């Protein structure tokens, strides 16, 4: 189990981005497991049963226990979880693409020359930087030699291509 994160407010985009990159994807398991960020030895996540199929299974198991009934067997739960996991990655990718598309469509409506505030959150492996655009809650790759992680930047829109998921920005330090 990893140690919990240091206490404090994570309110700047660069801090939040660094924190999110340390998180592992959500895992659904039948055996108790620790929660890496909260530092708990055992953890169960149960949100709205309409939100995630794994949560629906957890709700049904808890209700069966509270009613004195037998819930689903471990093997049945494993089978259902395999079915759920099979398409989950692809669904997340499509959801992200859709969200990015509509954000870029909105930005395209603002036109070339629109200005946005952002913050440089990390360097990219192939050169350039990843900038967090505050107004859109969107990460955008940019090229610049005059910025560093944590810098606030002003972004000038030079072009937007929602169908390709691309935006061309010129950035300047704030």
């Amino acid at each position: 189990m990893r140690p919990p994160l240091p206490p404090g407010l994570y309110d700047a985009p660069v801090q939040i981005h660094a924190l999110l990159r340390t998180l592992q994807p959500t895992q659904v398991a039948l055996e108790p497991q620790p929660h890496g960020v909260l530092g708990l030895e055992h953890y169960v996540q149960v949100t709205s049963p309409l939100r995630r199929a794994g949560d629906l299974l957890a709700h049904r198991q808890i209700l069966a226990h509270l009613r004195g009934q037998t819930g689903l067997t471990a093997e049945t739960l494993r089978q259902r979880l395999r079915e759920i996991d099979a398409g989950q990655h692809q669904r997340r990718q499509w959801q992200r693409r859709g969200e990015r598309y509509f954000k870029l469509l909105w930005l395209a409506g603002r036109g070339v020359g629109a200005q946005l505030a952002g913050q440089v959150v990390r360097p990219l492996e192939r050169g350039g930087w990843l900038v967090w655009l505050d107004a859109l809650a969107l990460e955008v790759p940019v090229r610049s030699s005059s910025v560093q992680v944590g810098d606030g930047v002003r972004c000038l829109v030079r072009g937007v291509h929602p169908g390709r998921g691309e935006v061309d920005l010129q950035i300047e330090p704030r």
Side-chain angles (χ1 to χ4, degrees), residues 117-132:
Q119 184 176 37
V120 179
V121 294
R122 73 175 168 94
L124 295 172
E125 291 177 15
R126 297 181 182 175
W129 304 91
L130 193 65
V131 170
W132 175 261

Side-chain angles (χ1 to χ4, degrees), residues 9-69:
L9 291 176
Y10 296 89
D11 58 357
V14 69
Q15 295 169 325
I16 295 167
H17 192 272
L19 173 70
L20 291 175
R21 289 182 55 82
T22 67
L23 301 178
Q24 297 176 5
T26 300
Q27 297 175 350
V28 179
L30 301 182
E31 297 79 29
Q33 294 183 357
H35 190 286
V37 174
L38 297 177
L40 300 172
E41 290 184 37
H42 304 293
Y43 176 81
V44 64
Q45 176 178 340
V46 180
T47 62
S48 166
L50 298 175
R51 184 169 169 246
R52 297 182 341 169
D55 292 346
L56 177 60
L57 290 176
H59 273 261
R60 288 184 177 172
Q61 290 295 93
I62 292 168
L63 282 173
H65 174 76
L66 292 174
R67 292 175 178 159
Q69 301 168 344

Side-chain angles (χ1 to χ4, degrees), residues 75-92:
E75 184 52 42
T76 300
L77 283 171
R78 281 188 192 89
Q79 175 59 34
R80 298 235 174 115
L81 291 174
R82 281 192 294 271
E83 293 167 2
I84 291 167
D85 287 342
Q88 190 168 352
H89 177 72
Q90 186 65 37
R91 284 188 299 274
R92 275 197 305 260

Side-chain angles (χ1 to χ4, degrees), residues 89-164:
H89 177 72
Q90 186 65 37
R91 284 188 299 274
R92 275 197 305 260
Q93 282 186 323
W94 281 108
Q95 181 179 359
R96 286 186 193 119
R97 284 181 190 162
E99 289 172 1
R100 185 174 185 87
Y101 172 79
F102 285 107
K103 288 176 181 184
L104 293 182
L105 196 62
W106 177 88
L107 186 57
R110 299 293 178 260
V112 172
Q115 293 186 21
L116 298 167
Q119 184 176 37
V120 179
V121 294
R122 73 175 168 94
L124 295 172
E125 291 177 15
R126 297 181 182 175
W129 304 91
L130 193 65
V131 170
W132 175 261
L133 300 177
D134 299 333
L136 291 172
L138 183 68
E139 298 171 341
V140 177
V142 298
R143 296 257 180 225
S144 177
S145 58
S146 62
V147 296
Q148 296 180 358
V149 171
D151 285 354
V153 291
R154 187 177 63 190
C155 304
L156 180 67
V157 177
R158 295 193 301 197
V160 183
H161 308 282
R164 294 193 306 247

